Amino acid sequence: MNRPLLPSKHVPAVRISGTPATFHVKSFGCQMNVYDGERMAEMLGAQGMTAATGADSADLVVLNTCHIREKAAEKVYSDIGRLRREDGTRPMIAVAGCVAQAEGSEISRRAPSVDIVVGPQAYHNLPALIGKAVRGEVALDTDMPAASKFGSLPDRPKQPRPMAFLTIQEGCDKFCTYCVVPYTRGAEISRPWSAILDEAQALVDGGVREITLLGQNVNAWQGTDPAGRTQGFDGLIRALAALPDLARIRYTTSHPNDMTEGLIAAHAEVPKLMPFLHLPVQSGSDRILKAMNRNHSVESYLAILEKVRAARPDIALSGDFIVGFPGETDADFEATMALVRDVGYAMAYSFKYSARPGTPAADMADHIPATVMDARLQRLQAQLNADQIAFNSRAVGQCVPILLEREGRYPGQRIGKTPWLQSVHVTAPDYALGDMIDVDITATGPNSLAGDLKKRIAA
Ligand code: SAH
Ligand code: SF4
Ligand code: F3S
């Protein structure tokens, strides 16, 4: 169902001669985008379309995009160009995700070969938009409706892996001055208790043993249980932990200001809640945190970590950092380095500040030169990498429970995760994905561990 590539920017969209039979969804950005991509694929599958082996052979390609930094947002345009095939045809192209929300109809102006633009709160309308595109009509939907899209999506089918993502909260009301998420994802909403428990049960029924709860501020989740009691995120975790066949629960991403006493206590009391916390701090300087509108200080952040470590001494900590925020001095950056050394992260993500149109920080004074940002990022990443290697090497000699989640490269090799989110390669030909096994860790690298099978752990 390929059709000729449009030769110039100003040619109007051509009629598409039939409904696409195959699709490929490519997701960029955060895990919530990965989740959305999976739900779109499941929805297209439920419409009778089949998954293609890749973008090259698909009738419809969905680029599920990320707007968080300039590089990520610009990538979509080179990706669109790359969808052109050797015979001069191209697939039907849908741009979904946060670039779709932020740029809307501007996308089709810049890239006329785009047939569909659909925002992250409107992708349940993708089948209707495909219909419009087939008829040659403008297919754009970036509405942020009051009603949630989730009710219009098909139930979760059987999953290919024993672990799955489950979005429970969306949007953000925090308005950090550098960040586009409050604009691309809209206001903070929590999905209802029963919708989450039903989806979790469906995933578990389909073979899932580990669920990662997702939200831009996942720990801000609030809801009402069937008895009419108001519940926070920790109450939801406790209810999910009661599902018999669910072995592990994780969550990401959390904001320090929503780290409640109840959630910290859950880390001590709920064995299925894994000892891993991704708690971004962004900077180690109070002056910069204030300019970022983070609404917490270095001291209050460290106080939370101390409480979490008291509740769960083996917890692995992770974070996000931005270097080169406008006005960041050498002293501010040294404060970030000091915080990193102080905490000892098991892993972390670090980024150069990227000015985003429409955000308050983009208009601030004293933008930092690229060379300074590069040097700071290099130093920060060297420290974070060293800390990650140190954390991983402490696992050597330990016996740890691994949940097997995918096949390795060699016959009989499986890859699973420790409770602390480290990948472990192990030869375990007699065990299936979804099995939990004890593994003696024998070797370590920066990104994964190796181990010897000890025994199966009773399910
Ligand atoms: N809601 C989450 C994460 C959102 S985006 C949170 O608040 O922690 C993921 C990460 O991208 C952020 O934590 C931040 O470190 C980074 N980020 C966001 N906007 C950015 C920008 N304009 N430039 C560079 N990094 C950015
Ligand atoms: Fe962005 Fe801040 Fe919201 Fe995280 S808390 S999504 S960084 S505005
Ligand atoms: Fe990117 Fe949107 Fe996620 S901007 S990080 S895909 S919320």
Side-chain angles (χ1 to χ4, degrees):
M1 219 246 9
N2 299 338
R3 59 212 177 80
L5 190 77
L6 300 180
S8 100
K9 280 200 153 203
H10 303 290
V11 176
V14 293
R15 270 181 94 81
I16 296 167
S17 58
T19 305
T22 61
F23 66 89
H24 181 71
V25 181
K26 205 170 162 196
S27 290
F28 306 88
C30 62
Q31 285 142 321
M32 304 195 58
N33 243 24
V34 174
Y35 173 85
D36 289 341
E38 288 168 0
R39 303 262 358 216
M40 281 188 251
E42 289 169 6
M43 183 176 50
L44 296 174
Q47 297 280 314
M49 295 173 64
T50 49
T53 47
D56 287 350
S57 59
D59 295 335
L60 165 70
V61 174
V62 180
L63 298 175
N64 190 22
T65 60
C66 173
H67 195 62
I68 201 84
R69 284 167 289 274
E70 189 181 357
K71 247 197 199 149
E74 283 301 309
K75 192 178 169 346
V76 60
Y77 294 101
S78 53
D79 280 356
I80 291 166
R82 243 177 271 126
L83 292 175
R84 177 204 296 249
R85 291 167 186 164
E86 273 176 14
D87 62 359
T89 65
R90 64 169 178 85
M92 182 187 279
I93 301 172
V95 176
C98 291
V99 177
Q101 192 64 43
E103 297 185 9
S105 56
E106 189 53 36
I107 295 174
S108 347
R109 260 195 292 281
R110 261 184 84 176
S113 52
V114 169
D115 302 288
I116 297 167
V117 175
V118 59
Q121 305 306 350
Y123 65 75
H124 56 296
N125 293 329
L126 194 50
L129 292 165
I130 293 170
K132 274 190 172 184
V134 169
R135 293 192 297 273
E137 296 167 19
V138 176
L140 172 107
D141 191 345
T142 51
D143 283 355
M144 290 210 183
S148 150
K149 68 194 169 230
F150 294 105
S152 316
L153 296 171
D155 291 342
R156 306 300 307 270
K158 184 165 166 40
Q159 297 293 306
R161 292 256 170 91
M163 7 79 75
F165 291 140
L166 201 178
T167 292
I168 64 160
Q169 179 279 336
E170 282 210 291
C172 183
D173 295 339
K174 300 266 192 296
F175 290 94
C176 300
T177 52
Y178 51 83
C179 184
V180 294
V181 170
Y183 313 98
T184 62
R185 294 275 172 166
E188 217 166 87
I189 60 126
S190 294
R191 289 182 69 193
W193 173 282
S194 57
I196 296 166
L197 277 141
D198 288 352
E199 187 170 331
Q201 185 65 60
L203 289 169
V204 169
D205 290 346
V208 166
R209 303 214 58 211
E210 172 180 309
I211 291 179
T212 302
L213 303 169
L214 299 181
Q216 265 89 20
N217 289 296
V218 71
N219 55 342
W221 184 90
Q222 284 190 328
T224 310
D225 70 14
R229 286 177 303 229
T230 301
Q231 292 279 1
F233 183 48
D234 55 307
L236 181 69
I237 287 174
R238 289 174 195 272
L240 289 165
L243 299 179
D245 293 325
L246 183 62
R248 290 178 166 185
I249 300 169
R250 302 183 186 276
Y251 62 94
T252 199
T253 294
S254 305
H255 192 284
N257 293 356
D258 295 312
M259 220 47 226
T260 60
E261 299 288 337
L263 179 54
I264 294 171
H267 272 287
E269 295 161 11
V270 181
K272 290 184 183 181
L273 182 59
M274 291 295 99
F276 187 96
L277 175 64
H278 181 67
L279 197 66
V281 63
Q282 316 297 353
S283 168
S285 155
D286 281 339
R287 211 176 63 80
I288 296 295
L289 289 177
K290 196 158 195 309
M292 287 176 161
N293 191 34
R294 289 288 295 179
N295 279 311
H296 60 76
S297 63
V298 173
E299 196 188 340
S300 66
Y301 176 80
L302 291 175
I304 293 163
L305 296 192
E306 207 170 299
K307 280 190 200 167
V308 174
R309 277 181 161 152
R312 183 77 207 225
D314 68 338
I315 199 146
L317 296 170
S318 162
D320 288 348
F321 295 89
I322 296 176
V323 301
F325 185 81
E328 185 187 71
T329 62
D330 284 341
D332 293 321
F333 174 68
E334 291 307 332
T336 299
M337 291 295 290
L339 176 134
V340 165
R341 285 191 297 265
D342 190 7
V343 172
Y345 288 92
M347 63 167 295
Y349 302 94
S350 48
F351 313 98
K352 282 184 275 188
Y353 168 74
S354 170
R356 308 306 292 125
T359 59
D363 297 327
M364 286 180 186
D366 297 328
H367 280 252
I368 305 299
T371 47
V372 175
M373 282 208 251
D374 284 336
R376 287 180 186 168
L377 187 66
Q378 221 171 33
R379 268 190 66 205
L380 177 59
Q381 290 189 336
Q383 179 71 46
L384 291 169
N385 288 343
D387 291 346
Q388 181 164 342
I389 290 169
F391 179 81
N392 285 346
S393 55
R394 286 203 288 277
V396 175
Q398 288 189 40
C399 177
V400 295
I402 306 295
L403 177 63
L404 295 177
E405 62 180 44
R406 61 199 160 95
E407 305 285 347
R409 225 186 304 162
Y410 308 107
Q413 191 187 45
R414 313 266 183 269
I415 301 171
K417 289 255 163 63
T418 70
W420 307 279
L421 207 60
Q422 298 145 300
S423 286
V424 179
H425 293 64
V426 58
T427 303
D430 299 333
Y431 295 96
L433 304 189
D435 283 349
M436 188 94 83
I437 58 176
D438 267 343
V439 170
D440 285 323
I441 302 300
T442 53
T444 169
N447 297 316
S448 65
L449 313 175
D452 292 334
L453 171 69
K454 203 162 175 201
K455 66 169 177 8
R456 180 183 187 139
I457 302 171

